[in-house]
Amino acid sequence: DGSAVGRTGPNCEFAECPAVVDPTAGWQIYKNDEYGFDIKYPADATVSLVSHVPPRGTDLVLPNTNQNNQKSGNFIEKDGSIGDILNFFVFQESLNNLEQYIMKDVQQAQALNNKYIDEKGNPPVKITYNKSNINGVDSYQIRYDYPQSPLEKSVNRIYIQNSEHVFMFNYYDNNKDDAQKILSTFKFMK
C-alpha cells in the first residue's frame, strides 16, 4: 500500500525527553592489553583468564590454513569466565576462514544429528546459526537446543575475532539476559 513503518525516538519538542537507562550502569570493566579487548561485567561477578590446560585426551581445535595454503591447528591458549554467567576461550590466532569453519561445523553437526532422529522424526539436538555483530565486528552464533533432555538446557556459542585471535563465548539460556548484556559491551581495543 506504499506506507512505511519506522521507528523513531520520542518527540521531545514540547516536553523533556525520558532519560536513557544504561543496563550496565555500575558494572566493572575488565581490560586485557595482551589480547586487546575490554568487556563490562556485573559488580558482583569475577573475571578469570588463565592458561588453558587441555582436558585429558581431547581439546577443541580450530583448523586453519596459512598464506601458503598449509593446514594447521589453532589451539586454545586461554580459558576465561565471568562469574557463572559465561565462559570463554581465546585461541592462539585468528582464522582466515572463520565463517566458513563455522558453517562447515554446523553442517557436520546437523548431519550427525540427523542420524539419531527419534520415532517422531525429531533430532536430539536442534542446531541454529546466526551471523550478527558485536560493536561493529562480525560475530557468529551457534545455538544448540536439547528438547529431549531432562535438563532442558540450551547452549549458545558466540565466535568473534580480531586480527590476532579468535574468541569463543559459551552460555546457557538460564544466564541469557546477563550474558547478552555482557557480550554487548565486548570491544576490541585499537
Side-chain angles (χ1 to χ4, degrees):
D1 68 359
S3 63
V5 176
R7 176 178 238 168
T8 61
N11 182 351
C12 302
E13 185 176 350
F14 300 108
E16 188 175 327
C17 284
V20 176
V21 178
D22 178 1
T24 64
W27 283 17
Q28 304 292 320
I29 298 174
Y30 175 79
K31 181 178 178 181
N32 187 294
D33 293 323
E34 180 181 3
Y35 293 101
F37 73 95
D38 65 50
I39 191 166
K40 290 177 87 174
Y41 62 97
D44 61 347
T46 57
V47 176
S48 168
L49 187 63
V50 297
S51 294
H52 177 68
V53 178
R56 188 175 178 168
T58 183
D59 201 4
L60 179 61
V61 179
L62 299 178
N64 203 9
T65 305
N66 66 20
Q67 295 159 342
N68 298 327
N69 224 13
Q70 297 172 318
K71 295 191 184 285
S72 64
N74 187 4
F75 294 89
I76 295 172
E77 191 168 298
K78 296 284 185 178
D79 285 345
S81 66
I82 298 177
D84 62 355
I85 301 168
L86 61 80
N87 62 37
F88 62 98
F89 302 102
V90 180
F91 288 85
Q92 293 171 321
E93 57 191 37
S94 62
L95 295 180
N96 298 328
N97 55 357
L98 180 59
E99 185 173 17
Q100 290 175 330
Y101 162 76
I102 291 167
M103 293 301 298
K104 184 176 180 182
D105 187 50
V106 168
Q107 290 169 353
Q108 289 174 341
Q110 287 174 332
L112 178 63
N113 197 31
N114 289 338
K115 291 182 179 183
Y116 298 98
I117 291 177
D118 68 13
E119 62 279 351
K120 296 179 184 174
N122 299 314
V125 182
K126 180 181 176 193
I127 304 167
T128 54
Y129 163 79
N130 183 35
K131 180 179 178 180
S132 61
N133 75 61
I134 298 173
N135 289 315
V137 178
D138 286 342
S139 63
Y140 311 92
Q141 178 181 8
I142 303 173
R143 179 178 167 87
Y144 302 91
D145 290 303
Y146 299 90
Q148 300 169 20
S149 169
L151 301 176
E152 296 182 22
K153 285 196 172 183
S154 296
V155 178
N156 297 277
R157 183 172 283 174
I158 312 291
Y159 293 88
I160 189 169
Q161 73 176 352
N162 61 10
S163 61
E164 297 179 16
H165 300 280
V166 173
F167 295 76
M168 182 182 74
F169 295 90
N170 293 304
Y171 64 88
Y172 294 106
D173 271 359
N174 60 323
N175 294 323
K176 182 178 179 178
D177 293 339
D178 285 338
Q180 288 180 343
K181 283 182 210 170
I182 291 169
L183 287 170
S184 75
T185 70
F186 181 86
K187 292 186 292 194
F188 288 117
M189 297 182 287
K190 296 190 179 179

